[in-house]
Amino acid sequence: QVHLVESGGGLVQAGGSLRLACAASGSTFSANVMGWYRQAPGKQRELVALARSVGSTEYADSVKGRFSISREKSENIVYLQMNSLKPSDTAVYYCNFLSLSGQSWGPGTQVTVSS
C-alpha cells in the first residue's frame, strides 16, 4: 500500500500562483509515475500533469506553459507549480501514484481561483 499526503491548495486570485506538493510513503517501487489529476464540480476527473521516475513528463494541453511538475525521486515527492491561474483551474486536485504494485490516490486538495 502507498499512502499519499497532499498540501498546498487554497484560494488565489486569477493570475496568481500556487504550489502543490505530494509525498508518497509505503510500498513504493523505484519505477513509478507520480502525477496530478483534477476534478471540477459536475465534470470527470482529468489528468493535469505527470512525472515518471525515469524523468519524462506529460501535461494536459490546458495547462501547458502555465504549470510545471517536478519531483524529488529519492523522496517520492512530487510538486505542481501552477502559475497564471484561471478560474477554470478551480477543482479538487488529486495526487496519483502508479507502479507495478498498483495505483493509489491522495484525498485531494481544493484549489479555488477567483476572478
Side-chain angles (χ1 to χ4, degrees):
Q1 294 289 336
V2 175
H3 181 61
L4 301 175
V5 177
E6 302 148 336
S7 61
L11 173 64
V12 65
Q13 289 188 331
S17 298
L18 282 174
R19 189 191 196 206
L20 305 182
C22 173
S25 61
S27 302
T28 57
F29 283 84
S30 58
N32 57 65
V33 182
M34 295 188 73
W36 291 95
Y37 290 72
R38 67 186 180 187
Q39 188 167 18
K43 295 188 177 182
Q44 290 187 333
R45 190 173 298 188
E46 62 177 4
L47 172 69
V48 177
L50 59 84
R52 299 179 179 87
S53 55
V54 295
S56 59
T57 59
E58 289 184 17
Y59 295 91
D61 288 341
S62 59
V63 306
K64 283 181 181 177
R66 301 188 299 121
F67 291 12
S68 177
I69 190 168
S70 60
R71 59 181 296 176
E72 296 180 20
K73 190 168 61 175
S74 62
E75 298 293 334
N76 281 320
I77 299 174
V78 66
Y79 302 98
L80 184 68
Q81 178 66 43
M82 305 185 292
N83 300 326
S84 303
L85 282 161
K86 305 175 181 180
S88 57
D89 294 317
T90 295
V92 177
Y93 284 68
Y94 296 92
C95 181
N96 178 270
F97 184 96
L98 178 66
S99 71
L100 291 176
S101 65
Q103 178 171 240
S104 296
W105 292 94
T109 184
Q110 177 70 45
V111 171
T112 302
V113 184
S114 63
S115 58

XYZ file of all heavy atoms in Angstrom:
856
model
N 0.830 -1.190 0.000
C 0.000 0.000 0.000
C 0.869 1.245 0.000
O 1.897 1.297 0.655
C -0.916 0.014 1.237
C -1.951 -1.088 1.258
C -3.026 -0.859 0.214
O -3.252 0.264 -0.209
N -3.669 -1.942 -0.212
N 0.430 2.233 -0.765
C 1.113 3.520 -0.836
C 0.203 4.582 -0.247
O -0.970 4.682 -0.615
C 1.481 3.872 -2.281
C 2.080 5.279 -2.354
C 2.460 2.845 -2.847
N 0.740 5.367 0.664
C -0.019 6.441 1.307
C 0.455 7.773 0.747
O 1.659 8.024 0.665
C 0.199 6.403 2.811
C -0.550 7.451 3.568
N -1.918 7.542 3.558
C -0.118 8.466 4.354
C -2.305 8.556 4.306
N -1.229 9.144 4.801
N -0.506 8.612 0.332
C -0.183 9.903 -0.263
C -0.710 11.031 0.614
O -1.865 11.003 1.048
C -0.799 10.017 -1.651
C -0.366 8.946 -2.676
C -1.145 9.098 -3.972
C 1.125 9.036 -2.942
N 0.136 12.024 0.839
C -0.241 13.206 1.608
C -0.027 14.433 0.740
O 1.087 14.673 0.273
C 0.591 13.320 2.900
C 0.238 14.608 3.644
C 0.368 12.107 3.789
N -1.100 15.187 0.516
C -1.059 16.374 -0.336
C -1.070 17.637 0.516
O -1.604 17.660 1.619
C -2.274 16.395 -1.266
C -2.387 15.180 -2.155
C -3.819 14.819 -2.450
O -4.698 15.190 -1.643
O -4.078 14.165 -3.476
N -0.517 18.701 -0.047
C -0.559 20.006 0.617
C -0.451 21.103 -0.429
O -0.030 20.846 -1.559
C 0.584 20.136 1.630
O 1.831 20.019 0.985
N -0.868 22.320 -0.043
C -0.633 23.475 -0.889
C -1.841 24.070 -1.580
O -1.717 25.088 -2.249
N -2.996 23.485 -1.457
C -4.164 24.062 -2.090
C -4.599 25.328 -1.382
O -4.039 25.726 -0.359
N -5.593 26.008 -1.958
C -6.105 27.213 -1.332
C -6.848 28.090 -2.296
O -7.223 27.657 -3.398
N -7.055 29.329 -1.880
C -7.792 30.329 -2.670
C -6.803 31.356 -3.204
O -5.963 31.872 -2.452
C -8.843 31.006 -1.795
C -9.593 32.192 -2.402
C -10.431 31.749 -3.589
C -10.460 32.859 -1.338
N -6.904 31.644 -4.500
C -5.999 32.606 -5.113
C -6.764 33.385 -6.176
O -7.742 32.872 -6.745
C -4.776 31.876 -5.724
C -5.187 30.970 -6.864
C -3.702 32.861 -6.156
N -6.338 34.596 -6.432
C -6.962 35.395 -7.486
C -6.436 34.959 -8.852
O -5.325 34.429 -8.968
C -6.681 36.872 -7.265
C -7.419 37.473 -6.085
C -7.257 38.993 -6.020
O -6.251 39.525 -6.466
N -8.250 39.669 -5.466
N -7.230 35.217 -9.872
C -6.806 34.913 -11.240
C -5.472 35.604 -11.533
O -5.269 36.762 -11.166
C -7.867 35.353 -12.230
N -4.580 34.856 -12.180
C -3.252 35.363 -12.470
C -2.223 35.018 -11.418
O -1.018 35.212 -11.626
N -2.691 34.518 -10.290
C -1.801 34.171 -9.202
C -1.181 32.789 -9.360
O -1.353 32.118 -10.383
N -0.458 32.391 -8.316
C 0.270 31.119 -8.338
C 0.022 30.323 -7.062
O -0.251 30.890 -6.004
C 1.776 31.377 -8.469
O 2.094 32.040 -9.674
N 0.117 29.018 -7.210
C 0.075 28.097 -6.078
C 1.044 26.957 -6.368
O 1.299 26.634 -7.526
C -1.325 27.511 -5.871
C -2.391 28.369 -5.193
C -3.732 27.650 -5.229
C -2.007 28.728 -3.777
N 1.516 26.350 -5.301
C 2.381 25.181 -5.450
C 1.814 24.043 -4.618
O 1.637 24.189 -3.400
C 3.802 25.494 -4.983
C 4.806 24.391 -5.299
C 6.108 24.644 -4.572
N 7.214 23.859 -5.095
C 8.288 23.518 -4.373
N 8.375 23.896 -3.114
N 9.257 22.815 -4.928
N 1.515 22.943 -5.287
C 1.028 21.751 -4.606
C 2.189 20.792 -4.383
O 3.120 20.727 -5.190
C -0.050 21.054 -5.432
C -1.256 21.885 -5.861
C -2.244 21.003 -6.623
C -1.917 22.539 -4.671
N 2.112 20.038 -3.299
C 3.112 19.019 -3.003
C 2.416 17.731 -2.599
O 1.337 17.759 -2.004
C 4.047 19.481 -1.888
N 3.044 16.622 -2.914
C 2.503 15.315 -2.562
C 3.659 14.397 -2.210
O 4.597 14.241 -2.996
C 1.702 14.741 -3.719
S 1.156 13.031 -3.473
N 3.573 13.785 -1.041
C 4.603 12.855 -0.588
C 4.024 11.457 -0.516
O 2.937 11.254 0.040
C 5.132 13.274 0.778
N 4.755 10.496 -1.081
C 4.332 9.100 -1.082
C 5.174 8.309 -0.097
O 6.387 8.475 -0.022
C 4.468 8.504 -2.478
N 4.517 7.440 0.634
C 5.227 6.561 1.567
C 4.585 5.182 1.518
O 3.452 5.024 1.077
C 5.169 7.125 2.989
O 3.838 7.227 3.439
N 5.333 4.190 1.983
C 4.826 2.829 1.961
C 5.582 1.982 0.967
O 6.769 2.174 0.736
N 4.880 1.093 0.314
C 5.498 0.135 -0.604
C 5.672 0.745 -1.992
O 4.986 0.383 -2.949
C 4.644 -1.129 -0.679
O 4.492 -1.703 0.595
N 6.612 1.699 -2.068
C 6.848 2.384 -3.343
C 7.957 1.683 -4.111
O 9.035 1.440 -3.584
C 7.242 3.845 -3.104
O 8.390 3.887 -2.280
C 6.111 4.594 -2.423
N 7.692 1.330 -5.365
C 8.704 0.762 -6.226
C 9.510 1.891 -6.860
O 9.012 2.993 -7.048
C 8.056 -0.081 -7.324
C 7.591 -1.422 -6.855
C 6.346 -1.567 -6.250
C 8.377 -2.541 -6.999
C 5.902 -2.798 -5.807
C 7.955 -3.778 -6.556
C 6.702 -3.914 -5.960
N 10.762 1.615 -7.205
C 11.599 2.657 -7.791
C 11.091 3.091 -9.156
O 11.221 4.249 -9.540
C 13.045 2.174 -7.895
O 13.118 0.998 -8.679
N 10.490 2.176 -9.894
C 9.906 2.515 -11.193
C 8.451 2.902 -10.969
O 7.626 2.060 -10.610
C 10.005 1.337 -12.141
N 8.149 4.169 -11.124
C 6.788 4.608 -10.855
C 6.470 5.894 -11.600
O 7.349 6.503 -12.219
C 6.583 4.816 -9.347
C 7.563 5.805 -8.750
O 7.544 6.985 -9.089
N 8.417 5.345 -7.851
N 5.226 6.260 -11.523
C 4.752 7.509 -12.113
C 3.972 8.249 -11.034
O 3.090 7.661 -10.409
C 3.833 7.268 -13.324
C 3.397 8.588 -13.933
C 4.530 6.394 -14.359
N 4.292 9.491 -10.818
C 3.522 10.336 -9.903
C 2.912 11.477 -10.690
O 3.554 12.045 -11.570
C 4.403 10.880 -8.781
C 4.937 9.807 -7.849
S 5.779 10.484 -6.400
C 4.353 11.100 -5.451
N 1.677 11.777 -10.375
C 1.018 12.816 -11.151
C -0.088 13.507 -10.399
O -0.389 13.168 -9.241
N -0.664 14.485 -11.057
C -1.779 15.265 -10.520
C -2.958 15.184 -11.479
O -2.796 15.340 -12.693
C -1.367 16.725 -10.337
C -0.365 16.921 -9.244
C 0.992 16.980 -9.369
C -0.656 17.073 -7.858
N 1.572 17.155 -8.138
C 0.579 17.225 -7.190
C -1.831 17.112 -7.104
C 0.664 17.409 -5.807
C -1.747 17.295 -5.736
C -0.501 17.434 -5.098
N -4.117 14.946 -10.915
C -5.369 14.978 -11.638
C -6.265 16.007 -10.946
O -6.020 16.379 -9.811
C -6.046 13.600 -11.607
C -5.332 12.551 -12.420
C -4.114 12.013 -12.004
C -5.880 12.068 -13.609
C -3.454 11.056 -12.751
C -5.238 11.103 -14.365
C -4.034 10.607 -13.922
O -3.386 9.644 -14.664
N -7.301 16.433 -11.633
C -8.250 17.369 -11.010
C -9.668 17.032 -11.424
O -9.901 16.458 -12.488
C -7.906 18.815 -11.364
C -8.100 19.175 -12.833
C -7.595 20.591 -13.086
N -7.770 20.982 -14.491
C -7.290 22.103 -15.005
N -6.596 22.959 -14.255
N -7.504 22.390 -16.290
N -10.586 17.417 -10.560
C -11.996 17.201 -10.840
C -12.783 18.423 -10.406
O -12.801 18.775 -9.220
C -12.508 15.955 -10.110
C -13.919 15.570 -10.503
C -14.281 14.176 -10.026
O -13.645 13.621 -9.141
N -15.299 13.599 -10.632
N -13.401 19.051 -11.371
C -14.263 20.200 -11.102
C -15.685 19.707 -10.890
O -16.051 18.619 -11.347
C -14.201 21.178 -12.270
N -16.525 20.481 -10.212
C -17.919 20.068 -9.960
C -18.638 19.731 -11.260
O -18.605 20.499 -12.219
C -18.528 21.288 -9.285
C -17.384 21.974 -8.638
C -16.227 21.778 -9.550
N -19.243 18.553 -11.291
C -20.005 18.147 -12.449
C -19.179 17.646 -13.619
O -19.731 17.361 -14.685
N -17.883 17.543 -13.432
C -17.013 17.103 -14.520
C -16.247 15.853 -14.112
O -16.134 15.522 -12.937
C -16.040 18.211 -14.906
C -16.706 19.437 -15.497
C -15.675 20.414 -16.036
C -16.333 21.611 -16.693
N -15.332 22.555 -17.255
N -15.713 15.161 -15.121
C -14.917 13.974 -14.856
C -13.518 14.359 -14.389
O -13.015 15.446 -14.700
C -14.825 13.111 -16.119
C -16.124 12.431 -16.507
C -15.942 11.461 -17.666
O -15.047 11.620 -18.485
N -16.780 10.446 -17.714
N -12.894 13.455 -13.674
C -11.517 13.661 -13.262
C -10.619 13.623 -14.502
O -10.783 12.768 -15.371
C -11.088 12.594 -12.252
C -9.755 12.854 -11.583
C -9.486 11.851 -10.475
N -10.484 11.928 -9.407
C -10.390 11.267 -8.253
N -9.329 10.499 -8.023
N -11.344 11.369 -7.352
N -9.677 14.563 -14.568
C -8.810 14.652 -15.730
C -7.349 14.772 -15.321
O -7.034 15.319 -14.253
C -9.197 15.862 -16.596
C -9.058 17.204 -15.897
C -9.369 18.380 -16.810
O -9.762 18.164 -17.972
O -9.190 19.535 -16.359
N -6.482 14.305 -16.203
C -5.051 14.427 -15.964
C -4.622 15.881 -16.093
O -5.020 16.578 -17.025
C -4.280 13.583 -16.968
C -2.761 13.757 -16.958
C -2.166 13.195 -15.677
C -2.138 13.091 -18.189
N -3.797 16.326 -15.150
C -3.194 17.657 -15.228
C -1.748 17.519 -15.692
O -1.336 18.125 -16.677
C -3.239 18.376 -13.871
C -2.534 19.724 -13.961
C -4.685 18.552 -13.406
N -0.982 16.712 -14.979
C 0.426 16.509 -15.318
C 0.936 15.280 -14.611
O 0.418 14.903 -13.552
C 1.265 17.724 -14.919
N 1.945 14.643 -15.205
C 2.570 13.506 -14.549
C 4.071 13.517 -14.805
O 4.540 14.096 -15.789
C 1.947 12.190 -14.997
C 1.973 11.804 -16.479
C 3.297 11.154 -16.834
C 0.819 10.857 -16.781
N 4.777 12.875 -13.884
C 6.237 12.785 -13.985
C 6.657 11.341 -13.700
O 6.310 10.791 -12.649
C 6.893 13.728 -12.980
N 7.370 10.753 -14.642
C 7.833 9.391 -14.482
C 9.162 9.366 -13.734
O 9.928 10.329 -13.804
C 7.982 8.722 -15.851
C 6.674 8.638 -16.631
C 6.836 7.996 -17.980
N 5.567 7.901 -18.686
C 5.073 8.865 -19.442
N 5.744 10.001 -19.572
N 3.910 8.702 -20.040
N 9.431 8.263 -13.076
C 10.674 8.142 -12.322
C 11.894 8.193 -13.245
O 12.988 8.546 -12.800
C 10.684 6.844 -11.507
O 10.451 5.725 -12.332
N 11.689 7.887 -14.531
C 12.806 7.944 -15.475
C 13.056 9.362 -15.952
O 14.032 9.612 -16.650
C 12.550 7.022 -16.683
C 12.518 5.575 -16.249
C 11.277 7.412 -17.408
N 12.149 10.295 -15.599
C 12.412 11.700 -15.893
C 11.464 12.378 -16.860
O 11.439 13.598 -16.931
N 10.697 11.629 -17.624
C 9.811 12.264 -18.594
C 8.565 12.809 -17.916
O 8.172 12.365 -16.832
C 9.421 11.265 -19.690
O 8.768 10.149 -19.124
N 7.956 13.803 -18.568
C 6.749 14.437 -18.038
C 5.694 14.565 -19.133
O 6.009 14.528 -20.327
C 7.046 15.836 -17.476
O 7.602 16.650 -18.516
C 8.022 15.765 -16.303
N 4.447 14.731 -18.709
C 3.343 14.977 -19.629
C 2.429 16.022 -19.009
O 2.298 16.083 -17.779
C 2.535 13.700 -19.894
C 3.252 12.669 -20.737
C 2.367 11.476 -21.057
O 1.133 11.590 -20.907
O 2.925 10.425 -21.438
N 1.801 16.830 -19.847
C 0.886 17.875 -19.392
C -0.387 17.864 -20.224
O -0.355 17.568 -21.420
C 1.526 19.258 -19.536
C 2.722 19.491 -18.655
C 4.006 19.200 -19.087
C 2.556 20.014 -17.368
C 5.104 19.416 -18.276
C 3.651 20.245 -16.551
C 4.921 19.933 -17.009
O 6.004 20.150 -16.194
N -1.475 18.217 -19.575
C -2.698 18.467 -20.318
C -2.503 19.736 -21.146
O -1.805 20.661 -20.717
C -3.870 18.648 -19.353
N -3.124 19.770 -22.318
C -2.978 20.943 -23.186
C -3.417 22.224 -22.475
O -2.846 23.293 -22.696
C -3.798 20.758 -24.457
C -3.193 19.722 -25.396
O -1.996 19.413 -25.248
O -3.922 19.238 -26.281
N -4.401 22.115 -21.622
C -4.971 23.298 -20.965
C -4.016 23.956 -19.974
O -4.233 25.097 -19.574
C -6.272 22.933 -20.253
O -6.033 21.918 -19.292
N -2.966 23.235 -19.555
C -2.049 23.794 -18.554
C -0.633 23.988 -19.080
O 0.228 24.520 -18.367
C -2.013 22.934 -17.274
C -3.413 22.724 -16.729
C -1.320 21.603 -17.518
N -0.389 23.564 -20.313
C 0.966 23.700 -20.876
C 1.394 25.160 -20.889
O 0.629 26.043 -21.271
C 0.997 23.134 -22.290
C 1.026 21.619 -22.349
C 1.072 21.125 -23.783
C 1.077 19.608 -23.829
N 1.054 19.090 -25.225
N 2.617 25.412 -20.448
C 3.145 26.760 -20.394
C 2.801 27.502 -19.122
O 3.365 28.571 -18.853
N 1.883 26.966 -18.326
C 1.493 27.610 -17.063
C 1.860 26.782 -15.846
O 2.210 27.322 -14.796
C -0.014 27.875 -17.052
C -0.510 28.770 -18.174
C -1.982 29.146 -17.996
N -2.866 27.982 -18.005
C -3.675 27.652 -17.007
N -3.714 28.393 -15.910
N -4.462 26.597 -17.104
N 1.735 25.461 -15.960
C 2.023 24.559 -14.847
C 3.334 23.823 -15.104
O 3.700 23.554 -16.256
C 0.915 23.526 -14.689
C -0.401 24.061 -14.210
C -0.674 25.421 -14.159
C -1.411 23.182 -13.819
C -1.890 25.902 -13.722
C -2.633 23.652 -13.376
C -2.876 25.015 -13.338
N 4.003 23.483 -14.005
C 5.245 22.730 -14.115
C 5.280 21.662 -13.026
O 5.080 21.969 -11.843
C 6.446 23.661 -13.975
O 7.653 22.923 -14.017
N 5.553 20.426 -13.429
C 5.630 19.334 -12.480
C 7.094 18.954 -12.274
O 7.888 18.965 -13.223
C 4.805 18.111 -12.955
C 4.684 17.073 -11.840
C 5.368 17.509 -14.231
C 3.659 15.981 -12.134
N 7.439 18.651 -11.041
C 8.796 18.223 -10.725
C 8.725 17.233 -9.574
O 7.721 17.164 -8.864
C 9.672 19.422 -10.353
O 9.153 20.091 -9.218
N 9.796 16.511 -9.396
C 9.783 15.533 -8.321
C 11.157 15.319 -7.727
O 12.165 15.473 -8.397
C 9.191 14.218 -8.800
C 9.875 13.541 -9.959
C 9.150 12.266 -10.342
N 9.199 11.282 -9.267
C 8.582 10.100 -9.306
N 7.865 9.778 -10.358
N 8.677 9.252 -8.300
N 11.140 14.972 -6.446
C 12.341 14.524 -5.750
C 12.248 13.005 -5.710
O 11.574 12.449 -4.846
C 12.404 15.114 -4.344
C 12.520 16.617 -4.313
C 12.569 17.150 -2.894
O 12.881 16.383 -1.958
O 12.275 18.348 -2.729
N 12.884 12.378 -6.690
C 12.691 10.947 -6.871
C 13.101 10.141 -5.648
O 12.431 9.199 -5.260
C 13.470 10.474 -8.095
C 13.139 9.035 -8.521
C 13.699 8.735 -9.890
C 15.195 8.845 -9.941
N 15.752 8.431 -11.244
N 14.196 10.546 -5.014
C 14.690 9.776 -3.881
C 13.726 9.802 -2.712
O 13.732 8.918 -1.866
C 16.060 10.307 -3.449
O 15.954 11.648 -3.022
N 12.893 10.850 -2.681
C 11.949 11.001 -1.584
C 10.516 10.730 -2.010
O 9.599 10.846 -1.206
C 12.047 12.433 -1.021
C 13.394 12.787 -0.456
C 13.721 11.991 0.790
O 12.779 11.558 1.478
O 14.926 11.781 1.064
N 10.324 10.376 -3.285
C 8.968 10.161 -3.799
C 8.050 11.331 -3.453
O 6.947 11.139 -2.896
C 8.390 8.842 -3.276
C 8.935 7.659 -4.051
O 9.099 7.713 -5.273
N 9.231 6.590 -3.351
N 8.509 12.526 -3.734
C 7.716 13.738 -3.557
C 7.539 14.377 -4.929
O 8.487 14.485 -5.696
C 8.402 14.739 -2.611
C 8.579 14.123 -1.219
C 7.597 16.033 -2.521
C 9.376 14.996 -0.270
N 6.324 14.785 -5.214
C 6.046 15.458 -6.489
C 5.435 16.820 -6.213
O 4.649 16.975 -5.273
C 5.133 14.601 -7.388
C 3.748 14.439 -6.786
C 5.052 15.179 -8.789
N 5.849 17.806 -6.996
C 5.347 19.168 -6.871
C 4.626 19.576 -8.147
O 4.973 19.124 -9.236
C 6.497 20.145 -6.626
C 7.327 19.842 -5.415
C 8.537 19.143 -5.530
C 6.927 20.251 -4.151
C 9.300 18.866 -4.422
C 7.696 19.977 -3.033
C 8.884 19.281 -3.176
O 9.643 19.007 -2.066
N 3.656 20.444 -7.988
C 2.991 21.046 -9.142
C 2.993 22.552 -8.936
O 2.276 23.066 -8.070
C 1.563 20.533 -9.297
C 0.830 21.035 -10.542
C 1.471 20.447 -11.814
C -0.653 20.672 -10.484
N 3.817 23.241 -9.691
C 3.850 24.694 -9.654
C 2.833 25.218 -10.650
O 2.920 24.919 -11.845
C 5.249 25.213 -10.006
C 5.358 26.717 -10.038
C 5.169 27.343 -8.662
O 5.709 26.841 -7.677
N 4.403 28.422 -8.601
N 1.870 25.968 -10.161
C 0.777 26.460 -11.000
C 0.858 27.985 -11.071
O 0.713 28.654 -10.048
C -0.569 26.018 -10.425
C -0.680 24.514 -10.232
S -2.322 23.985 -9.689
C -2.367 24.697 -8.042
N 1.129 28.492 -12.255
C 1.219 29.935 -12.485
C 0.106 30.394 -13.411
O -0.521 29.576 -14.096
C 2.582 30.282 -13.095
C 3.747 29.902 -12.208
O 3.656 29.971 -10.983
N 4.847 29.503 -12.825
N -0.115 31.683 -13.438
C -1.143 32.276 -14.302
C -2.467 31.533 -14.165
O -3.098 31.172 -15.169
C -0.680 32.266 -15.767
O 0.538 32.955 -15.914
N -2.872 31.322 -12.947
C -4.083 30.539 -12.689
C -5.323 31.249 -13.220
O -5.421 32.487 -13.193
C -4.224 30.268 -11.201
C -3.313 29.137 -10.681
C -3.142 29.225 -9.181
C -3.881 27.792 -11.085
N -6.263 30.439 -13.678
C -7.527 30.921 -14.237
C -8.679 30.361 -13.414
O -8.542 29.299 -12.802
C -7.672 30.446 -15.677
C -6.529 30.804 -16.596
C -6.734 30.162 -17.970
C -5.595 30.474 -18.914
N -5.796 29.838 -20.250
N -9.829 31.034 -13.446
C -10.991 30.468 -12.747
C -11.316 29.046 -13.216
O -11.811 28.235 -12.417
C -12.104 31.447 -13.098
C -11.397 32.760 -13.262
C -10.090 32.395 -13.933
N -11.022 28.736 -14.470
C -11.293 27.395 -14.987
C -10.369 26.334 -14.385
O -10.596 25.136 -14.584
C -11.153 27.378 -16.518
O -9.865 27.830 -16.908
N -9.346 26.740 -13.652
C -8.478 25.794 -12.952
C -9.058 25.372 -11.598
O -8.484 24.489 -10.941
C -7.090 26.412 -12.725
C -6.335 26.664 -14.018
O -6.359 25.790 -14.901
O -5.726 27.756 -14.132
N -10.152 25.990 -11.203
C -10.785 25.641 -9.940
C -11.235 24.191 -9.944
O -11.964 23.759 -10.847
C -11.986 26.565 -9.668
O -11.506 27.905 -9.500
C -12.740 26.125 -8.419
N -10.792 23.429 -8.957
C -11.100 21.999 -8.888
C -10.482 21.416 -7.623
O -9.699 22.092 -6.935
C -10.554 21.269 -10.103
N -10.838 20.173 -7.356
C -10.110 19.409 -6.351
C -8.976 18.700 -7.081
O -9.207 18.029 -8.092
C -11.010 18.379 -5.645
C -10.191 17.559 -4.651
C -12.161 19.083 -4.935
N -7.771 18.882 -6.594
C -6.592 18.293 -7.210
C -6.171 17.048 -6.421
O -6.021 17.105 -5.192
C -5.463 19.315 -7.254
C -5.660 20.354 -8.332
C -6.684 21.297 -8.242
C -4.847 20.386 -9.463
C -6.890 22.231 -9.242
C -5.034 21.322 -10.470
C -6.061 22.239 -10.353
O -6.257 23.173 -11.345
N -5.986 15.964 -7.147
C -5.648 14.685 -6.532
C -4.257 14.233 -6.975
O -3.943 14.254 -8.165
C -6.646 13.607 -6.943
C -8.048 13.852 -6.479
C -8.957 14.533 -7.281
C -8.478 13.383 -5.233
C -10.258 14.752 -6.855
C -9.779 13.592 -4.812
C -10.668 14.282 -5.626
O -11.938 14.500 -5.204
N -3.478 13.784 -6.021
C -2.187 13.187 -6.312
C -2.397 11.709 -6.647
O -3.259 11.042 -6.050
C -1.269 13.326 -5.096
S 0.390 12.654 -5.334
N -1.615 11.214 -7.572
C -1.717 9.822 -8.011
C -0.341 9.179 -8.047
O 0.634 9.814 -8.468
C -2.358 9.772 -9.398
C -2.460 8.368 -9.947
O -1.556 7.889 -10.615
N -3.565 7.706 -9.649
N -0.280 7.935 -7.595
C 0.969 7.158 -7.624
C 0.674 5.846 -8.324
O -0.256 5.126 -7.948
C 1.464 6.897 -6.200
C 2.786 6.187 -6.136
C 3.964 6.910 -5.989
C 2.870 4.812 -6.227
C 5.191 6.275 -5.931
C 4.098 4.158 -6.172
C 5.254 4.896 -6.020
N 1.467 5.552 -9.358
C 1.255 4.349 -10.159
C 2.561 3.576 -10.272
O 3.597 4.146 -10.625
C 0.760 4.729 -11.554
C 0.533 3.577 -12.540
C -0.610 2.698 -12.058
C 0.238 4.122 -13.933
N 2.510 2.280 -9.976
C 3.677 1.421 -10.133
C 3.185 0.007 -10.420
O 1.982 -0.229 -10.531
C 4.547 1.446 -8.873
O 3.900 0.758 -7.813
N 4.114 -0.937 -10.497
C 3.733 -2.325 -10.755
C 2.880 -2.899 -9.622
O 2.154 -3.872 -9.829
C 4.982 -3.178 -10.953
C 5.779 -2.896 -12.229
C 7.039 -3.745 -12.258
C 4.929 -3.168 -13.470
N 2.946 -2.277 -8.456
C 2.161 -2.779 -7.318
C 0.744 -2.263 -7.326
O -0.082 -2.702 -6.520
C 2.844 -2.398 -6.007
O 2.848 -0.999 -5.842
N 0.440 -1.308 -8.199
C -0.919 -0.791 -8.277
C -0.972 0.716 -8.312
O 0.016 1.384 -8.591
N -2.128 1.252 -8.002
C -2.372 2.685 -8.088
C -2.965 3.189 -6.782
O -3.812 2.532 -6.182
C -3.326 2.964 -9.252
C -3.696 4.414 -9.433
C -4.476 4.653 -10.723
O -4.075 5.392 -11.595
N -5.616 3.996 -10.833
N -2.526 4.383 -6.359
C -3.054 4.993 -5.141
C -3.422 6.439 -5.418
O -2.799 7.088 -6.265
C -2.020 4.943 -4.011
O -1.718 3.617 -3.648
N -4.405 6.925 -4.670
C -4.871 8.310 -4.797
C -4.767 9.012 -3.456
O -5.003 8.404 -2.404
C -6.328 8.357 -5.250
C -6.559 7.886 -6.642
C -6.910 6.645 -7.040
C -6.463 8.681 -7.845
N -7.036 6.601 -8.403
C -6.770 7.836 -8.930
C -6.155 10.024 -8.096
C -6.771 8.283 -10.255
C -6.165 10.468 -9.408
C -6.462 9.601 -10.471
N -4.438 10.285 -3.491
C -4.499 11.093 -2.301
C -5.925 11.532 -2.039
O -6.811 11.349 -2.887
N -6.203 12.126 -0.875
C -7.559 12.547 -0.529
C -8.034 13.769 -1.303
O -9.235 14.053 -1.338
C -7.456 12.868 0.964
C -6.024 13.220 1.160
C -5.251 12.356 0.217
N -7.108 14.497 -1.928
C -7.477 15.676 -2.699
C -7.263 16.961 -1.931
O -7.396 17.001 -0.703
N -6.957 18.023 -2.662
C -6.806 19.351 -2.079
C -7.515 20.359 -2.972
O -7.382 20.320 -4.197
C -5.314 19.711 -1.889
O -5.195 20.968 -1.234
C -4.557 19.761 -3.208
N -8.292 21.236 -2.367
C -9.108 22.186 -3.130
C -8.263 23.356 -3.613
O -7.522 23.970 -2.836
C -10.256 22.704 -2.272
C -11.129 23.745 -2.946
C -11.981 23.171 -4.068
O -12.583 22.108 -3.912
N -12.009 23.860 -5.208
N -8.411 23.672 -4.882
C -7.823 24.876 -5.467
C -8.964 25.714 -6.014
O -9.751 25.239 -6.844
C -6.820 24.532 -6.581
C -6.380 25.795 -7.318
C -5.611 23.803 -6.016
N -9.070 26.940 -5.537
C -10.120 27.848 -5.982
C -9.476 29.122 -6.518
O -8.689 29.755 -5.814
C -11.078 28.196 -4.844
O -11.659 27.000 -4.325
C -12.199 29.105 -5.343
N -9.812 29.463 -7.755
C -9.277 30.657 -8.394
C -10.425 31.633 -8.616
O -11.375 31.333 -9.342
C -8.596 30.321 -9.726
C -7.945 31.570 -10.323
C -7.560 29.220 -9.544
N -10.332 32.782 -7.973
C -11.393 33.773 -8.087
C -11.085 34.744 -9.222
O -9.932 35.046 -9.509
C -11.541 34.534 -6.775
O -10.353 35.253 -6.484
N -12.147 35.232 -9.853
C -11.971 36.154 -10.993
C -11.909 37.603 -10.536
O -12.171 37.917 -9.400
C -13.107 35.968 -11.984
O -14.344 36.184 -11.345
